Amino acid sequence: MADDKFTARKESLGSAPELTTFNVAAVAEAMDSVWSLKGTEAGLQTIQTREGDWKSWDPDVYGVDEATEGGYIKRLNELGKPIVMLSEESERVEINLDTGGEPLYCVSDPFDGSWLFKRQLPLWWYSSLAFFKQDFTPVSTATGDVNQNLIAFSDETGAYLVTVKNDQLVDKQQLNEEYRQKIAGDAPDVSGACIESYALKPKKFLKPLLEQYGELIYSFKMFYPNGGPFGFVDVATGQVDVYFAVKQPYVDVFSGLDIARKSGAVISDFDGKPFQLETDDCQTTYDVIASRNQKIHDEVLEKLASCK
């Protein structure tokens, strides 16, 4: 049954590249897993607690995290390609390397929103999977919004949004400035814009954000306190104008970033320099800005300079 649904979802994307159809179908399946585990002991139980500095602000691994990552590993094994998976939970998993050929990197945030899931707060639940060549060129990226049954994805042809409806992926729309115009109208300047930055953990993220970058944040009309891989999607769709990612984990950044880039958004580090994946050290954190267009990106960089 699960295999039939997986196949049907791949086929529903039509002529999309093979790895793209696999990727989006795998994310849809992970979203199914989250729904099936909602409110269950299996999904809510604490499987392990991380030790050390890595993810010390968010150390618990729940059943839902283990299940979604396990589902990805199962599908990657079935894919038959050599893969080095870089994941939030297991960090590094080598898959099918004995099959020969150049491995692909697969960056995954299997389930983002675990604490909210634990408290059964139905918002900001995501699952993401992205493939890169050995030189870190992106091949396919997909990140799913569990609560809205939406998946944003990108490949060499562009960035797109689809709705998960049973065993089909429907209502495919290209994400670009034309789409953003329909959602949000003309891009505003900073004073009329919305900025997103992760702030749900007060001590680790909210307090440092406002202490160091408060003047930047206060210059915007609206503040959206989310982040993770879907922060880049929020810029791609035009629902926010800027995603300001401060010290965000490797898997949160690179499992979503290419969707914003392929949609025509502007990406840089905090100094305005080009930004891309350059390492397989998945414990790295990053400062990165994704903006709807160059004009608002330049405004952010100008205000950011005064915060330093």
Side-chain angles (χ1 to χ4, degrees):
M1 180 66 176
D3 287 343
D4 290 345
K5 182 183 284 189
F6 188 79
T7 299
R9 284 171 170 167
K10 288 197 299 180
E11 291 175 349
S12 70
L13 283 180
S15 61
E18 178 185 3
L19 193 58
T20 298
T21 63
F22 171 90
N23 195 3
V24 180
V27 169
E29 187 171 65
M31 293 162 65
D32 291 343
S33 295
V34 175
W35 279 120
S36 70
L37 291 168
K38 180 183 177 183
T40 68
E41 182 179 352
L44 299 174
Q45 66 179 322
T46 301
I47 301 298
Q48 69 178 82
T49 300
R50 300 181 186 91
E51 298 180 356
D53 292 337
W54 171 239
K55 296 287 285 187
S56 60
W57 64 90
D58 198 11
D60 292 333
V61 178
Y62 302 118
V64 66
D65 301 305
E66 184 178 67
T68 48
E69 183 183 68
Y72 282 142
I73 292 172
K74 173 180 177 293
R75 288 300 181 188
L76 290 169
N77 271 297
E78 294 171 355
L79 183 62
K81 297 179 182 293
I83 301 287
V84 176
M85 183 183 190
L86 305 170
S87 175
E88 182 171 81
E89 313 311 338
S90 297
E91 296 190 25
R92 187 181 184 98
V93 182
E94 296 182 347
I95 300 170
N96 298 327
L97 295 192
D98 58 351
T99 61
E102 185 173 83
L104 290 169
Y105 285 115
C106 176
V107 180
S108 179
D109 189 355
F111 185 57
D112 190 55
S114 302
W115 193 92
L116 298 172
F117 179 88
K118 177 80 170 179
R119 292 296 181 95
Q120 300 185 55
L121 292 168
L123 72 166
W124 298 329
W125 300 354
Y126 307 112
S127 186
S128 302
L129 195 66
F131 292 90
F132 295 81
K133 295 180 180 179
Q134 281 286 295
D135 64 358
F136 303 115
T137 300
V139 180
S140 174
T141 299
T143 179
D145 183 328
V146 176
N147 291 297
Q148 295 193 73
N149 289 317
L150 295 173
I151 299 176
F153 67 96
S154 63
D155 55 29
E156 71 270 17
T157 68
Y160 305 92
L161 188 70
V162 292
T163 299
V164 181
K165 188 174 182 179
N166 300 318
D167 66 351
Q168 298 291 297
L169 302 168
V170 301
D171 193 25
K172 180 179 175 182
Q173 301 178 75
Q174 186 163 9
L175 298 178
N176 50 28
E177 183 56 29
E178 182 179 352
Y179 181 92
R180 292 188 281 275
Q181 287 275 345
K182 290 190 296 184
I183 294 294
D186 292 335
D189 60 20
V190 162
S191 64
C194 178
I195 189 170
E196 176 173 350
S197 193
Y198 185 74
L200 296 185
K201 293 182 174 66
K203 185 176 180 179
K204 174 66 178 178
F205 291 103
L206 177 59
K207 186 173 184 285
L209 175 70
L210 296 180
E211 285 180 345
Q212 185 166 3
Y213 304 111
E215 291 307 309
L216 168 64
I217 301 299
Y218 303 146
S219 67
F220 280 77
K221 181 176 183 177
M222 294 292 290
F223 174 68
Y224 188 56
N226 191 32
F230 221 80
F232 297 102
V233 178
D234 291 334
V235 173
T237 61
Q239 291 172 292
V240 305
D241 301 289
V242 176
Y243 175 40
F244 187 67
V246 184
K247 292 182 170 56
Q248 288 298 291
Y250 181 106
V251 298
D252 289 40
V253 172
F254 292 110
S255 62
L257 181 144
D258 196 56
I259 296 167
R261 177 171 282 142
K262 290 288 172 54
S263 79
V266 181
I267 312 290
S268 81
D269 66 13
F270 281 14
D271 294 317
K273 296 176 182 176
F275 184 85
Q276 63 184 40
L277 180 59
E278 294 179 335
T279 178
D280 61 358
D281 179 2
C282 64
Q283 292 194 11
T284 312
T285 60
Y286 295 92
D287 295 333
V288 57
I289 308 166
S291 303
R292 176 173 171 177
N293 60 28
Q294 189 67 55
K295 179 178 181 293
I296 197 168
H297 198 80
D298 291 342
E299 287 185 80
V300 170
L301 290 173
E302 182 179 350
K303 291 182 181 297
L304 182 58
S306 67
C307 295
K308 295 180 180 180

